[in-house]
Amino acid sequence: MKRRPVLLTAAGVALLPPARATPEAMASAIRSFTGGAPLREGKVQLDVAPLVDNGNTVPVTLSVPGAPPAEVAALALFNERNPLSDVLRVDFGPRAAARSVSTRIRLATSQQLVAVARLADGSCWSQRVEVVVTLAACIE
Amino acid sequence: MARTLITAPSSARRGEAITLRVLLQHPMESGFRVGADGRLLARDIVRRFSCSYNGERVVAVELFPAVAANPYLEFSALALDSGTLDFVWEGDHGFQHREQRTISVT
């Protein structure tokens, strides 16, 4: 057995992408939510602690402060480095009051979270937040 | 039968925004974890949650494996008339759970 092919194979295995989402996968997940509408910064607010002690349960709040409730059709949350880019999608009905939803999520590692709001007029707004995770959610 | 914890007011004033908090006991097994035998644990998550107020939708939520175990949601509804709040969870392997709360609006 020659050493060089063996080493090359080992290097190739090491370079294989890990089983997690990528920024490109997140971008395509966001596109599937926005329907291709351009994403602008602002309007939507994502509240999450910048330093997360435990990635297994991270409280987050998505909201659109300021906008009249009827204007906001849906909210969604995406992540960059969990196995899947999607976290949560919320559609609001006629009986919803404030356009705000809170939940608890898992974070596999330190990464960027993106909150996206789709308004009734079809425009989409986002906010990006970087979070540092000290104890990752167990994905193994 | 799943256990739930639902915080909803039993009475409200007309036009008031009421806060609803729901928690469902569920492992939300992501399908990415490896079990003690070295094999992947089968995915078992709650995929959908919806809340309706007298048949009209409040929210419909699509959940993914990144939602933590025992999925918790907090949202608000507009109290316009007395009636019932319906909470429905649906998930993998035919999981379905339904809860109801009544509310009187004055």
Side-chain angles (χ1 to χ4, degrees):
Chain A
M1 189 185 273
K2 290 199 174 120
R3 280 191 302 168
R4 191 156 293 169
V6 171
L7 285 172
L8 282 175
T9 312
V13 168
L15 288 173
L16 276 179
R20 55 175 54 161
T22 58
E24 297 79 58
M26 179 171 75
S28 79
I30 292 176
R31 266 199 304 280
S32 82
F33 175 72
T34 60
L39 208 56
R40 281 178 280 178
E41 287 279 318
K43 290 205 178 185
V44 62
Q45 191 176 329
L46 170 60
D47 290 314
V48 58
L51 182 67
V52 173
D53 284 335
N54 182 357
N56 279 309
T57 168
V58 184
V60 295
T61 299
L62 298 159
S63 59
V64 186
E71 265 189 21
V72 184
L75 286 170
L77 182 62
F78 301 91
N79 71 81
E80 208 174 20
R81 296 195 186 277
N82 278 9
L84 289 178
S85 302
D86 271 292
V87 178
L88 185 84
R89 298 182 183 196
V90 184
D91 281 315
F92 292 101
R95 280 301 186 100
R99 268 22 179 187
S100 161
V101 64
S102 301
T103 187
R104 296 171 190 154
I105 67 168
R106 293 175 173 140
L107 292 174
T109 181
S110 300
Q111 56 183 303
Q112 190 178 62
L113 297 175
V114 183
V116 181
R118 192 174 65 222
L119 304 194
D121 62 7
S123 67
C124 291
W125 301 80
S126 72
Q127 191 195 2
R128 289 165 191 270
V129 175
E130 291 283 348
V131 291
V132 174
V133 179
T134 45
L135 174 66
C138 45
I139 53 165
E140 295 177 32
Chain B
M1 198 65 178
R3 283 179 12 172
T4 57
L5 195 62
I6 296 178
T7 309
S10 54
S11 64
R13 278 174 289 118
R14 196 174 302 278
E16 190 184 345
I18 55 170
T19 301
L20 304 171
R21 297 187 190 90
V22 298
L23 188 136
L24 171 78
Q25 186 179 43
H26 193 282
M28 289 293 278
E29 187 57 62
S30 67
F32 297 104
R33 294 199 310 148
V34 176
D37 58 357
R39 277 186 288 184
L40 274 185
L41 296 166
R43 192 183 91 159
D44 180 17
I45 66 164
V46 176
R47 290 197 304 264
R48 302 201 139 269
F49 165 77
S50 66
C51 172
S52 57
Y53 188 140
N54 282 347
E56 275 193 291
R57 177 189 285 178
V58 181
V59 290
V61 184
E62 201 178 342
L63 300 103
F64 293 87
V67 174
N70 304 325
Y72 164 83
L73 289 162
E74 180 180 332
F75 50 94
S76 63
L78 212 49
L80 294 176
D81 46 3
S82 300
T84 56
L85 288 157
D86 273 295
F87 305 92
V88 181
W89 292 262
E90 286 166 62
D92 290 339
H93 314 301
F95 176 84
Q96 187 165 34
H97 188 78
R98 184 182 290 269
E99 290 278 333
Q100 275 193 336
R101 293 289 183 274
T102 55
I103 180 167
S104 66
V105 174
T106 50

